[in-house]
Amino acid sequence: MLRVGFGLVPGDPFWVLVREAVQQRAEMLGLLLIPVTVPDMRATGDAYWRFLEDLKAQEVGALIGHVLSESHLRAVINAGVPIICSEDTALTHPRLV
């Protein structure tokens, strides 16, 4: 079963609906969603390093998230974790959807 880091924060009714839809679809696809706390976009150094180490420790095969800065997106991708990002970004990469 593929383990997917799940870092969508339900900040308003829209994100609550998005989270519910992702959870339903993951169940249909047989994915195991692992709740993760994505650091704030202003996070630097140690906080983000701990986040990347946590992703590795939890053996996630991908990350679903939003509100990630481009530098954070690059760091996650460079750590070998594909990302499904719900925010618009100018960054392009084969592991970024």
Side-chain angles (χ1 to χ4, degrees):
M1 181 176 287
L2 181 62
R3 298 168 58 87
V4 178
F6 187 49
L8 293 178
V9 180
D12 60 49
F14 171 77
W15 289 110
V16 170
L17 292 174
V18 170
R19 280 179 58 90
E20 289 174 3
V22 169
Q23 290 168 328
Q24 290 172 5
R25 187 68 173 166
E27 187 176 317
M28 289 171 53
L29 295 172
L31 303 174
L32 180 59
L33 294 178
I34 308 298
V36 296
T37 302
V38 177
D40 184 271
M41 285 183 66
R42 297 173 301 241
T44 58
D46 290 341
Y48 223 80
W49 181 254
R50 284 190 302 274
F51 173 66
L52 293 174
E53 290 298 312
D54 191 37
L55 290 179
K56 290 178 191 176
Q58 294 191 54
E59 300 177 343
V60 299
L63 172 66
I64 299 171
H66 65 141
V67 295
L68 290 145
S69 69
E70 286 193 18
S71 62
H72 292 154
L73 288 170
R74 277 192 211 93
V76 173
I77 290 168
N78 289 337
V81 178
I83 304 172
I84 300 165
C85 182
S86 61
E87 298 289 322
D88 289 333
T89 178
L91 182 64
T92 59
H93 193 281
R95 291 188 185 143
L96 175 63
V97 179

